[in-house]
Amino acid sequence: MLIVCCRGQESAGIVTSNGASPPLYAIHKGMGLVNSTFREEQIQKLRTGNLGIGHTRYSTSGISGLQNCQPFVVETLHGKIAVAHNGELVNAKKLKMKVLRHGVGLSTSSDSELITQLLALTPPKEEADTPDWVARIRNLMTATLTSYSLLVMYKDVIYAVRDPYGNRPLCLGRLVPVSKFDSPRETDTESETEGWVVSSESCSFQSIGARYYREVLPGEIVQISKHGIKTLDRVPRPGGDPPAFCIFEYVYFARPDSIFEGQMVYTVRRRCGHQLAIEAPVDADLVSTVPESATPAALGYAQEAGLPYVEVLCKNRYVGRTFIQPNTRLRQLGVAQKFGALSDNFAGKRIVLIDDSIVRGNTISPIIKVLKEAGAKEVHIRVASPPIRFPCYMGINIPTKEELIANKPEFEDLAGYIGANSVVYLSVDGLLSAVQEGSKSLRPNSIISNGDNDSKSSPKQIGHCTACLTGKYPVELEW
């Protein structure tokens, strides 16, 4: 089974296929977390197939409802296809008009349905009885350059696709025999591969007995079948533009044990902490973290500053991630339930509290209040990323400038507003330095295998989207 994980908690869906001609699809979707949506009865139904794609939704555009739950399945001239999408199209309105002019009705408010319908359109030179899926995918990629990682399932084949700017992550993994999983990676041989898996993040592979293989490159179309994987095409960016991988993945969104651009997210976050300590030192007694995504940065800060790292907050692990809750009230209620103070560790002491980001300012103020009420002498906030000043239109839920704390009058005295003794953010240059320091092996003059059956090679450029920090979007936005 091949599954793309889009890292949301609002809804989940899986579509499997038996690979026949025509294929028999089994589908189950539901609102809520995976463990509440899929019971044994549904899992048994899905096991009738030998390949499949799945999706967990985190809504950025379109309402949070069952009608927008993915994967989408539609009938085309050549049979059914199933599509799972992670990202957000920057020219969705224009594409919607294109689809409607072709006489195609839309049943959801999701731009992911637009992608599905665009793939169903017949390319000009396609043979009547032979679908040209590379041409169809290329047409889509030409019509919209970002932001998407896709899985497209047709009969007994799955196509893994990443937009030309590589804004959203996508990676490949190999299912290895159970007998080999605990053995050194160096002893692996590709001939022992029992199947292929695809995910937004490599951290998901270990739990299913798979090993990270490589990233899908920006603009790459990878075919996955019973014969293995093969690169079918690579769609270039216009004008020699650099890639634009979302830098917020490193800051917050990704799990720390995931691998992007040849480096582990944890390591990048620790480097951010080192850089933050250089840029923003403070007289204090200890360094701590807002758990858990800021912990690597706090450890890096403590090491560079020569201060002890001490836990000051106890996290309630039954409360989900507050950033990706769909509205402010739910985020605020989540914070109130999320943390308790370990007062014996810090009473009467000056704390440097590291956070990964302060976006809306909803979460940090009550945390500072908890610490000071529990006996902290001072609380100095250090943020391991720059201020978020601009909306994201490419798949992160930062929809308006007005809700960002960095654009509010209170930002002029942010420390006073949130109750801290001081607040300093990491600089944009500092973040880029921390992120790109470990990507040197993947710069334009280097070569990496593209992983197809012909063992060809292609250059890999490094570039990052910093639009939420700088307002410089990788492509022109169309409304």
Side-chain angles (χ1 to χ4, degrees):
M1 180 175 292
L2 302 113
I3 295 178
V4 62
C5 172
C6 293
R7 305 169 297 168
Q9 58 190 33
E10 294 176 36
S11 64
I14 294 176
V15 178
T16 62
S17 168
N18 64 356
S21 185
L24 177 65
Y25 280 7
I27 306 170
H28 183 72
K29 306 179 188 181
M31 299 300 294
L33 297 170
V34 171
N35 58 6
S36 62
T37 300
F38 293 92
R39 301 296 185 188
E40 185 61 29
E41 180 182 348
Q42 288 84 32
I43 295 296
Q44 288 300 326
K45 182 178 72 171
L46 294 168
R47 283 178 177 158
T48 58
N50 56 12
L51 71 161
I53 61 176
H55 186 274
T56 55
R57 188 163 188 257
Y58 150 62
S59 61
T60 55
S61 65
I63 63 173
S64 179
L66 187 59
Q67 69 269 37
N68 286 326
C69 183
Q70 297 185 49
F72 288 118
V73 179
V74 298
E75 189 77 40
T76 74
L77 181 64
H78 303 287
K80 288 182 178 180
I81 61 169
V83 178
H85 165 224
N86 178 23
E88 185 175 353
L89 302 183
V90 296
N91 59 339
K93 186 175 180 181
K94 178 181 176 181
L95 293 175
K96 182 177 181 180
M97 294 307 299
K98 177 179 179 178
V99 168
L100 293 175
R101 287 193 185 101
H102 276 81
V104 177
L106 297 171
S107 58
T108 77
S109 57
S110 169
D111 54 0
S112 304
E113 186 189 14
L114 283 175
I115 289 174
T116 308
Q117 296 295 355
L118 286 164
L119 289 170
L121 298 179
T122 304
K125 297 182 180 180
E126 183 178 275
E127 299 285 337
D129 58 348
T130 307
D132 187 344
W133 287 106
V134 174
R136 288 175 181 235
I137 294 169
R138 279 191 66 98
N139 283 351
L140 167 70
M141 298 173 82
T142 302
T144 180
L145 293 169
T146 195
S147 165
Y148 48 88
S149 288
L150 300 174
L151 288 186
V152 182
M153 184 168 66
Y154 174 72
K155 292 186 177 178
D156 60 348
V157 174
I158 290 176
Y159 300 94
V161 182
R162 197 170 171 205
D163 75 54
Y165 284 88
N167 184 256
R168 301 256 63 83
L170 195 65
C171 60
L172 304 168
R174 295 190 303 114
L175 285 169
V176 299
V178 174
S179 60
K180 298 287 293 184
F181 195 64
D182 292 328
S183 62
R185 292 173 182 266
E186 293 76 18
T187 64
D188 277 359
T189 61
E190 198 166 318
S191 62
E192 295 175 308
T193 301
E194 294 184 334
W196 293 91
V197 290
V198 186
S199 179
S200 291
E201 288 192 44
S202 61
C203 62
S204 63
F205 292 152
Q206 184 161 347
S207 61
I208 58 170
R211 284 190 170 165
Y212 175 81
Y213 185 65
R214 69 170 178 89
E215 290 184 294
V216 176
L217 300 180
E220 189 178 15
I221 304 171
V222 178
Q223 176 183 278
I224 305 163
S225 69
K226 61 184 177 182
H227 304 294
I229 67 169
K230 183 176 182 180
T231 297
L232 300 180
D233 206 351
R234 183 107 183 261
V235 176
R237 292 175 296 278
D241 286 353
F245 180 56
C246 173
I247 207 161
F248 205 66
E249 293 280 353
Y250 285 113
V251 170
Y252 172 84
F253 215 62
R255 218 171 79 173
D257 54 338
S258 287
I259 298 171
F260 298 139
E261 301 174 316
Q263 58 187 341
M264 190 165 283
V265 171
Y266 181 97
T267 305
V268 174
R269 290 177 181 167
R270 187 153 186 157
R271 286 200 297 265
C272 287
H274 277 277
Q275 183 63 30
L276 184 59
I278 294 169
E279 293 183 6
V282 62
D283 288 331
D285 301 304
L286 60 93
V287 177
S288 195
T289 179
V290 178
E292 293 168 328
S293 52
T295 301
L299 290 168
Y301 190 104
Q303 183 180 43
E304 181 67 34
L307 293 170
Y309 171 82
V310 179
E311 291 186 349
V312 300
L313 292 168
C314 178
K315 184 178 180 182
N316 180 352
R317 300 180 188 278
Y318 295 97
V319 177
R321 303 180 85 179
T322 53
F323 177 86
I324 59 176
Q325 290 286 1
N327 62 56
T328 298
R329 177 171 173 77
L330 288 177
R331 284 188 289 270
Q332 291 173 333
L333 289 173
V335 172
Q337 302 167 4
K338 197 169 185 177
F339 298 110
L342 301 171
S343 55
D344 285 356
N345 289 354
F346 62 83
K349 295 181 180 180
R350 300 167 297 174
I351 301 171
V352 183
L353 189 68
I354 309 297
D355 204 354
D356 51 30
S357 58
I358 299 179
V359 180
R360 300 172 176 90
N362 295 324
T363 63
I364 194 66
S365 182
I367 289 172
I368 295 168
K369 184 179 179 182
V370 165
L371 293 175
K372 288 197 169 183
E373 288 179 348
K377 183 178 179 180
E378 297 176 3
V379 179
H380 298 271
I381 301 299
R382 295 295 180 265
V383 187
S385 65
I388 308 293
R389 298 183 181 276
F390 299 90
C392 176
Y393 302 105
M394 289 167 284
I396 301 293
N397 189 18
I398 309 174
T400 65
K401 292 180 74 170
E402 290 73 24
E403 71 179 288
L404 301 173
I405 190 66
N407 296 325
K408 294 181 178 181
E410 294 86 351
F411 192 71
E412 298 301 316
D413 180 22
L414 183 57
Y417 177 67
I418 64 176
N421 292 87
S422 67
V423 179
V424 183
Y425 287 78
L426 182 65
S427 67
V428 175
D429 287 343
L431 175 60
L432 285 170
S433 173
V435 167
Q436 295 179 357
E437 179 183 331
S439 302
K440 292 176 182 176
S441 63
L442 296 177
R443 290 193 182 281
N445 60 355
S446 66
I447 300 294
I448 65 172
S449 169
N450 70 359
D452 66 17
N453 291 347
D454 299 322
S455 298
K456 298 176 183 176
S457 296
S458 59
K460 169 85 173 193
Q461 286 182 292
I462 294 298
H464 297 95
C465 177
T466 60
C468 60
L469 313 175
T470 64
K472 297 177 181 178
Y473 295 91
V475 296
E476 184 177 352
L477 303 175
E478 300 178 23
W479 309 113

